Amino acid sequence: MSVLFQLFFAFIQVGLFSVGGGYAAIPLIQNQIVDIHKLMTLGEFTDLITIAEMTPGPISINSATFVGTRLAGIPGAVLCTLGCIIPSFIICLTLAHFYYKYRNFSGVQTVLSALRPAVVALIASAGLSILLLGLFMSDLSGITLANFRPIETCLFIGGLFLLRKYRVNAIAIIFGTGVVGTLAYSLLGMVA
């Protein structure tokens, strides 16, 4: 099967099963692209997710577009984006029709309440994967003290502190940590 078909069907599945928004789609995209089809490494995937996070728009669609572009150029970007959008578009139209018809029914509220913990778990899983890759340059199976990255850890702690304590804008934190990290590696003579 060609890469374009693999990408399209992988992102159809992501679009079908990513309940809870863009961040919930990240572990599904990782599973399809990195784990199942082995079309890119976890490091490449994390770099693309970082870029997708920094650009305007929904992260799942940005991720689909960047993955498609990286693996198959413009046709890959179009197919991945459409694959990610089409299922949600159809599902949203269908659910919106039924939601407005039955929104006062208590069973609907019960189902929505039951889905919330699963969405939190998906988002936490994506966050943990990216955190471990950033701090240890490895997934959960390869965490060792030799892989520990102290500069990235300090940047993470500093950024988290500024975000939570002083409510600094996330874009300023992303830009600032990029500048500080580049300076730190330049001063230490290391290549990031």
Side-chain angles (χ1 to χ4, degrees):
M1 185 182 333
S2 79
V3 172
L4 288 174
F5 286 119
Q6 279 183 325
L7 289 172
F8 182 71
F9 289 117
F11 279 96
I12 285 278
Q13 292 174 35
V14 169
L16 275 172
F17 299 112
S18 58
V19 176
Y23 289 105
I26 293 173
L28 299 174
I29 297 171
Q30 176 186 337
N31 181 261
Q32 288 292 321
I33 301 304
V34 177
D35 301 335
I36 294 174
H37 297 292
K38 303 202 184 309
L39 296 172
M40 63 176 47
T41 66
L42 186 58
E44 292 172 321
F45 176 74
T46 303
D47 291 343
L48 289 177
I49 294 299
T50 303
I51 294 168
E53 174 65 30
M54 293 187 323
T55 55
I59 190 168
S60 61
I61 295 171
N62 290 351
S63 300
T65 305
F66 287 135
V67 167
T69 301
R70 164 73 173 76
L71 295 174
I74 299 296
V78 170
L79 285 176
C80 287
T81 304
L82 285 175
C84 192
I85 292 172
I86 289 171
S88 350
F89 180 74
I90 293 169
I91 290 169
C92 282
L93 281 178
T94 306
L95 288 177
H97 170 74
F98 287 110
Y99 178 75
Y100 283 110
K101 191 172 182 179
Y102 300 108
R103 67 179 164 217
N104 295 326
F105 182 60
S106 66
V108 171
Q109 296 305 320
T110 303
V111 168
L112 292 175
S113 295
L115 287 175
R116 285 187 191 112
V119 171
V120 171
L122 287 171
I123 294 170
S125 170
L128 182 62
S129 294
I130 292 170
L131 179 67
L132 292 176
L133 187 62
L135 302 184
F136 291 96
M137 201 58 178
S138 177
D139 60 2
L140 195 56
S141 62
I143 295 176
T144 64
L145 196 53
N147 293 341
F148 180 69
R149 301 170 78 185
I151 293 173
E152 286 81 353
T153 302
C154 291
L155 290 173
F156 169 73
I157 292 169
L160 185 64
F161 176 76
L162 290 173
L163 185 66
R164 302 302 294 168
K165 175 77 174 172
Y166 295 107
R167 307 245 185 253
V168 175
N169 186 312
I171 294 170
I173 291 173
I174 291 170
F175 179 73
T177 56
V179 169
V180 172
T182 301
L183 289 173
Y185 276 106
S186 296
L187 291 173
L188 293 174
M190 303 164 85
V191 178

Coordinates of all heavy atoms in Angstrom, one line a residue, residues 47-110:
D47 N 9.1 16.7 17.3 CA 9.4 18.0 16.7 C 8.3 18.5 15.9 O 8.0 19.7 16.0 CB 10.6 17.8 15.8 CG 11.9 17.5 16.5 OD1 12.0 17.8 17.8 OD2 12.9 17.1 15.9
L48 N 7.6 17.7 15.2 CA 6.4 18.1 14.4 C 5.3 18.6 15.3 O 4.6 19.6 15.0 CB 5.9 17.0 13.4 CG 6.8 16.8 12.2 CD1 6.3 15.6 11.4 CD2 7.0 18.0 11.4
I49 N 5.1 17.9 16.4 CA 4.0 18.3 17.3 C 4.4 19.6 18.0 O 3.5 20.5 18.2 CB 3.8 17.2 18.5 CG1 3.3 15.9 17.9 CG2 2.9 17.7 19.6 CD1 2.0 16.0 17.2
T50 N 5.6 19.9 18.2 CA 6.1 21.2 18.8 C 5.8 22.3 17.8 O 5.2 23.3 18.2 CB 7.6 21.1 19.1 OG1 7.8 20.1 20.0 CG2 8.0 22.4 19.7
I51 N 6.1 22.0 16.5 CA 5.8 23.1 15.5 C 4.3 23.2 15.4 O 3.8 24.4 15.3 CB 6.4 22.6 14.1 CG1 7.9 22.7 14.3 CG2 5.9 23.6 13.0 CD1 8.6 22.0 13.1
A52 N 3.5 22.1 15.4 CA 2.0 22.2 15.3 C 1.5 23.0 16.4 O 0.5 23.7 16.3 CB 1.4 20.8 15.2
E53 N 2.0 22.9 17.6 CA 1.6 23.6 18.8 C 1.8 25.1 18.7 O 1.0 25.9 19.1 CB 2.2 23.1 20.1 CG 1.9 23.8 21.3 CD 0.5 23.8 21.7 OE1 -0.2 22.8 21.4 OE2 0.0 24.7 22.3
M54 N 2.9 25.5 18.0 CA 3.3 26.9 17.9 C 2.5 27.6 16.8 O 2.5 28.8 16.9 CB 4.8 27.0 17.7 CG 5.7 26.6 18.8 SD 7.4 26.9 18.7 CE 7.8 26.6 17.0
T55 N 2.0 26.9 15.9 CA 1.3 27.6 14.8 C -0.2 27.7 15.1 O -0.7 27.0 15.9 CB 1.4 26.8 13.5 OG1 1.0 25.4 13.7 CG2 2.9 26.7 13.0
P56 N -0.8 28.8 14.5 CA -2.2 29.0 14.8 C -3.1 27.8 14.3 O -2.8 27.2 13.3 CB -2.6 30.3 14.1 CG -1.3 30.9 13.7 CD -0.3 29.8 13.7
G57 N -4.2 27.6 14.9 CA -5.1 26.5 14.5 C -5.2 25.3 15.4 O -4.4 25.2 16.3
P58 N -6.1 24.4 15.1 CA -6.3 23.2 15.9 C -5.0 22.3 15.8 O -4.6 22.1 14.7 CB -7.5 22.5 15.4 CG -8.1 23.5 14.5 CD -7.1 24.5 14.1
I59 N -4.5 21.9 16.9 CA -3.3 21.1 16.9 C -3.4 19.8 16.2 O -2.5 19.3 15.5 CB -2.8 20.9 18.4 CG1 -1.3 20.3 18.3 CG2 -3.7 20.0 19.2 CD1 -0.6 20.3 19.6
S60 N -4.6 19.1 16.2 CA -4.7 17.9 15.5 C -4.7 18.1 14.0 O -4.0 17.3 13.3 CB -6.0 17.1 15.9 OG -7.1 17.9 15.6
I61 N -5.3 19.1 13.5 CA -5.2 19.4 12.1 C -3.8 19.9 11.7 O -3.3 19.4 10.6 CB -6.3 20.4 11.7 CG1 -7.7 19.7 11.9 CG2 -6.2 20.8 10.2 CD1 -8.9 20.7 11.8
N62 N -3.2 20.7 12.5 CA -1.9 21.2 12.2 C -0.9 20.0 12.2 O -0.1 19.9 11.3 CB -1.4 22.2 13.2 CG -2.1 23.5 13.1 OD1 -2.8 23.8 12.2 ND2 -1.9 24.4 14.1
S63 N -1.1 19.1 13.1 CA -0.2 17.9 13.2 C -0.4 17.0 12.0 O 0.5 16.5 11.4 CB -0.6 17.0 14.4 OG -0.4 17.8 15.6
A64 N -1.7 16.8 11.6 CA -2.0 16.0 10.4 C -1.3 16.6 9.1 O -0.7 15.9 8.3 CB -3.5 15.9 10.2
T65 N -1.4 17.9 9.0 CA -0.8 18.6 7.9 C 0.7 18.5 7.9 O 1.3 18.2 6.9 CB -1.3 20.1 7.9 OG1 -2.7 20.2 8.0 CG2 -0.8 20.9 6.7
F66 N 1.3 18.7 9.0 CA 2.8 18.7 9.1 C 3.3 17.3 8.9 O 4.3 17.1 8.2 CB 3.3 19.2 10.5 CG 3.2 20.7 10.6 CD1 2.7 21.3 11.7 CD2 3.6 21.5 9.6 CE1 2.6 22.6 11.9 CE2 3.5 22.9 9.7 CZ 3.0 23.5 10.8
V67 N 2.6 16.3 9.4 CA 3.0 14.9 9.2 C 2.9 14.5 7.7 O 3.8 13.9 7.1 CB 2.2 13.9 10.1 CG1 2.4 12.5 9.6 CG2 2.6 14.0 11.6
G68 N 1.8 14.9 7.1 CA 1.6 14.6 5.7 C 2.6 15.3 4.8 O 3.1 14.7 3.9
T69 N 2.9 16.6 5.2 CA 3.9 17.3 4.4 C 5.3 16.6 4.5 O 6.0 16.5 3.6 CB 4.0 18.8 4.9 OG1 2.7 19.4 4.7 CG2 5.0 19.6 4.1
R70 N 5.6 16.3 5.8 CA 6.9 15.6 6.0 C 7.1 14.3 5.3 O 8.2 14.0 4.8 CB 7.1 15.5 7.5 CG 8.2 14.5 8.0 CD 9.6 15.1 7.8 NE 10.6 14.3 8.3 CZ 11.1 13.2 7.8 NH1 10.6 12.7 6.7 NH2 12.0 12.5 8.4
L71 N 6.0 13.5 5.2 CA 6.1 12.2 4.6 C 5.8 12.1 3.2 O 6.3 11.2 2.5 CB 5.2 11.2 5.4 CG 5.6 11.0 6.9 CD1 4.6 10.2 7.6 CD2 7.0 10.4 7.0
A72 N 4.9 13.0 2.7 CA 4.5 12.9 1.2 C 4.3 14.2 0.6 O 3.5 14.3 -0.4 CB 3.3 12.0 1.2
G73 N 4.8 15.3 1.1 CA 4.7 16.6 0.4 C 3.3 17.1 0.5 O 2.5 16.8 1.4
I74 N 2.9 17.9 -0.5 CA 1.6 18.6 -0.6 C 0.5 17.6 -0.7 O -0.5 17.7 0.1 CB 1.6 19.6 -1.7 CG1 2.6 20.7 -1.5 CG2 0.2 20.2 -1.9 CD1 2.4 21.6 -0.3
P75 N 0.6 16.5 -1.5 CA -0.5 15.6 -1.6 C -0.7 14.9 -0.2 O -1.9 14.6 0.2 CB -0.1 14.5 -2.6 CG 0.9 15.3 -3.5 CD 1.6 16.3 -2.6
G76 N 0.4 14.6 0.5 CA 0.3 14.0 1.8 C -0.4 14.9 2.8 O -1.2 14.5 3.6
A77 N -0.1 16.2 2.8 CA -0.7 17.2 3.6 C -2.2 17.3 3.4 O -3.0 17.3 4.4 CB 0.0 18.6 3.4
V78 N -2.6 17.3 2.1 CA -4.0 17.4 1.8 C -4.7 16.1 2.3 O -5.8 16.2 2.9 CB -4.2 17.6 0.3 CG1 -5.7 17.5 -0.1 CG2 -3.7 19.0 -0.1
L79 N -4.2 15.0 2.0 CA -4.9 13.7 2.4 C -4.9 13.5 3.9 O -6.0 13.1 4.4 CB -4.2 12.5 1.7 CG -4.5 12.4 0.2 CD1 -3.7 11.2 -0.3 CD2 -6.0 12.2 0.0
C80 N -3.9 13.9 4.6 CA -3.9 13.7 6.0 C -4.9 14.7 6.7 O -5.6 14.3 7.6 CB -2.5 14.0 6.6 SG -1.3 12.6 6.3
T81 N -4.9 15.9 6.2 CA -5.8 16.9 6.7 C -7.2 16.5 6.5 O -8.1 16.5 7.4 CB -5.5 18.3 6.1 OG1 -4.1 18.6 6.4 CG2 -6.4 19.3 6.7
L82 N -7.5 16.1 5.2 CA -8.9 15.6 4.9 C -9.3 14.4 5.7 O -10.4 14.3 6.2 CB -9.0 15.3 3.4 CG -9.1 16.5 2.5 CD1 -9.1 16.1 1.1 CD2 -10.3 17.4 2.8
G83 N -8.3 13.4 5.9 CA -8.6 12.2 6.7 C -8.9 12.6 8.1 O -9.7 11.9 8.7
C84 N -8.2 13.6 8.6 CA -8.5 14.0 10.0 C -9.8 14.8 10.2 O -10.5 14.6 11.2 CB -7.3 14.9 10.5 SG -7.2 15.2 12.2
I85 N -10.2 15.5 9.1 CA -11.4 16.4 9.2 C -12.7 15.6 8.9 O -13.7 15.8 9.6 CB -11.2 17.6 8.3 CG1 -10.1 18.5 8.8 CG2 -12.5 18.3 8.1 CD1 -9.8 19.6 7.9
I86 N -12.7 14.8 7.9 CA -13.9 14.2 7.3 C -14.7 13.4 8.4 O -15.9 13.7 8.6 CB -13.6 13.3 6.1 CG1 -13.3 14.2 4.9 CG2 -14.8 12.4 5.7 CD1 -12.8 13.5 3.7
P87 N -14.1 12.5 9.2 CA -14.9 11.8 10.2 C -15.5 12.7 11.2 O -16.7 12.6 11.5 CB -13.9 10.9 10.8 CG -12.8 10.7 9.9 CD -12.7 12.0 9.1
S88 N -14.7 13.7 11.7 CA -15.2 14.6 12.7 C -16.3 15.5 12.1 O -17.3 15.8 12.9 CB -14.2 15.5 13.3 OG -12.9 15.2 13.0
F89 N -16.2 15.9 10.9 CA -17.2 16.7 10.3 C -18.5 16.0 10.2 O -19.6 16.5 10.6 CB -16.7 17.1 8.9 CG -17.7 18.0 8.1 CD1 -17.9 19.3 8.5 CD2 -18.5 17.4 7.1 CE1 -18.8 20.1 7.8 CE2 -19.4 18.2 6.4 CZ -19.6 19.6 6.8
I90 N -18.5 14.7 9.7 CA -19.7 13.9 9.6 C -20.3 13.6 11.0 O -21.5 13.7 11.2 CB -19.4 12.6 8.8 CG1 -19.1 13.0 7.4 CG2 -20.6 11.7 8.9 CD1 -18.6 11.9 6.5
I91 N -19.4 13.2 11.9 CA -19.9 12.9 13.3 C -20.5 14.1 14.0 O -21.5 14.1 14.6 CB -18.7 12.3 14.1 CG1 -18.4 10.9 13.6 CG2 -19.1 12.2 15.6 CD1 -17.1 10.3 14.2
C92 N -19.8 15.3 13.8 CA -20.3 16.5 14.5 C -21.7 16.9 13.9 O -22.6 17.3 14.7 CB -19.3 17.7 14.3 SG -18.0 17.6 15.4
L93 N -21.8 16.8 12.6 CA -23.1 17.2 12.0 C -24.2 16.2 12.5 O -25.3 16.7 12.9 CB -23.1 17.1 10.5 CG -22.5 18.2 9.7 CD1 -22.5 18.0 8.2 CD2 -23.2 19.5 10.0
T94 N -23.9 15.0 12.6 CA -24.9 14.0 13.1 C -25.2 14.2 14.6 O -26.4 14.3 15.0 CB -24.4 12.6 12.9 OG1 -24.0 12.4 11.5 CG2 -25.4 11.5 13.3
L95 N -24.2 14.4 15.4 CA -24.4 14.6 16.8 C -25.1 15.9 17.1 O -25.9 16.0 18.0 CB -23.0 14.5 17.6 CG -22.4 13.1 17.7 CD1 -21.0 13.2 18.4 CD2 -23.3 12.2 18.4
A96 N -24.7 16.9 16.4 CA -25.4 18.2 16.6 C -26.9 18.1 16.4 O -27.7 18.7 17.1 CB -24.8 19.3 15.7
H97 N -27.2 17.4 15.3 CA -28.7 17.2 15.1 C -29.4 16.5 16.2 O -30.4 17.0 16.7 CB -28.8 16.4 13.8 CG -30.2 15.9 13.6 ND1 -31.2 16.8 13.1 CD2 -30.8 14.7 13.7 CE1 -32.4 16.1 13.0 NE2 -32.1 14.8 13.4
F98 N -28.8 15.4 16.7 CA -29.4 14.7 17.8 C -29.3 15.4 19.1 O -30.1 15.3 20.0 CB -28.8 13.2 17.9 CG -29.3 12.4 16.8 CD1 -28.4 11.9 15.8 CD2 -30.6 11.9 16.8 CE1 -28.8 11.1 14.8 CE2 -31.0 11.1 15.8 CZ -30.1 10.7 14.8
Y99 N -28.1 16.1 19.3 CA -28.0 16.8 20.6 C -29.1 17.9 20.8 O -29.7 18.0 21.8 CB -26.6 17.5 20.7 CG -26.4 18.3 22.0 CD1 -26.2 17.7 23.2 CD2 -26.4 19.7 21.9 CE1 -26.0 18.4 24.3 CE2 -26.3 20.4 23.1 CZ -26.1 19.8 24.3 OH -25.9 20.5 25.4
Y100 N -29.3 18.7 19.7 CA -30.3 19.7 19.8 C -31.7 19.1 19.9 O -32.6 19.8 20.5 CB -30.2 20.7 18.6 CG -29.1 21.7 18.8 CD1 -27.9 21.6 18.0 CD2 -29.1 22.6 19.8 CE1 -26.9 22.5 18.2 CE2 -28.1 23.5 20.0 CZ -26.9 23.4 19.2 OH -25.9 24.3 19.4
K101 N -31.9 18.0 19.4 CA -33.2 17.3 19.5 C -33.4 16.7 20.9 O -34.5 16.8 21.5 CB -33.3 16.2 18.5 CG -34.7 15.7 18.3 CD -34.7 14.7 17.1 CE -36.1 14.2 16.9 NZ -36.2 13.3 15.7
Y102 N -32.3 16.2 21.5 CA -32.5 15.4 22.8 C -31.6 16.0 23.9 O -31.3 15.3 24.9 CB -32.1 14.0 22.6 CG -32.9 13.2 21.6 CD1 -32.4 12.9 20.4 CD2 -34.3 12.9 21.9 CE1 -33.2 12.2 19.4 CE2 -35.0 12.3 21.0 CZ -34.5 11.9 19.7 OH -35.3 11.3 18.8
R103 N -31.2 17.3 23.9 CA -30.3 17.8 24.9 C -30.8 17.8 26.3 O -30.0 17.9 27.2 CB -29.8 19.2 24.5 CG -30.9 20.2 24.5 CD -30.3 21.6 24.1 NE -31.4 22.4 23.7 CZ -31.4 23.3 22.8 NH1 -30.4 23.5 22.1 NH2 -32.5 24.1 22.6
N104 N -32.1 17.9 26.5 CA -32.6 17.9 27.8 C -32.8 16.5 28.5 O -33.2 16.4 29.6 CB -34.0 18.6 27.8 CG -33.8 20.1 27.5 OD1 -32.8 20.7 27.8 ND2 -34.8 20.6 26.8
F105 N -32.5 15.5 27.7 CA -32.6 14.1 28.2 C -31.4 13.8 29.1 O -30.2 14.1 28.8 CB -32.6 13.1 27.0 CG -32.7 11.7 27.3 CD1 -33.9 11.2 28.0 CD2 -31.7 10.8 27.0 CE1 -34.0 9.9 28.3 CE2 -31.9 9.5 27.3 CZ -33.0 9.0 27.9
S106 N -31.7 13.3 30.3 CA -30.6 13.1 31.3 C -29.6 12.1 30.9 O -28.4 12.2 31.3 CB -31.2 12.6 32.6 OG -31.8 11.4 32.5
G107 N -29.9 11.1 30.0 CA -29.0 10.1 29.5 C -27.8 10.8 28.7 O -26.7 10.3 28.8
V108 N -28.2 11.8 28.0 CA -27.1 12.5 27.2 C -26.1 13.1 28.2 O -24.9 13.0 27.9 CB -27.8 13.6 26.3 CG1 -26.7 14.5 25.7 CG2 -28.7 13.0 25.3
Q109 N -26.5 13.8 29.2 CA -25.6 14.4 30.2 C -24.8 13.3 30.9 O -23.6 13.5 31.2 CB -26.4 15.2 31.2 CG -27.1 16.4 30.6 CD -26.2 17.3 29.8 OE1 -25.0 17.6 30.2 NE2 -26.6 17.8 28.6
T110 N -25.4 12.2 31.1 CA -24.6 11.1 31.8 C -23.5 10.6 30.9 O -22.4 10.3 31.3 CB -25.6 9.9 32.1 OG1 -26.6 10.4 33.0 CG2 -24.9 8.8 32.8

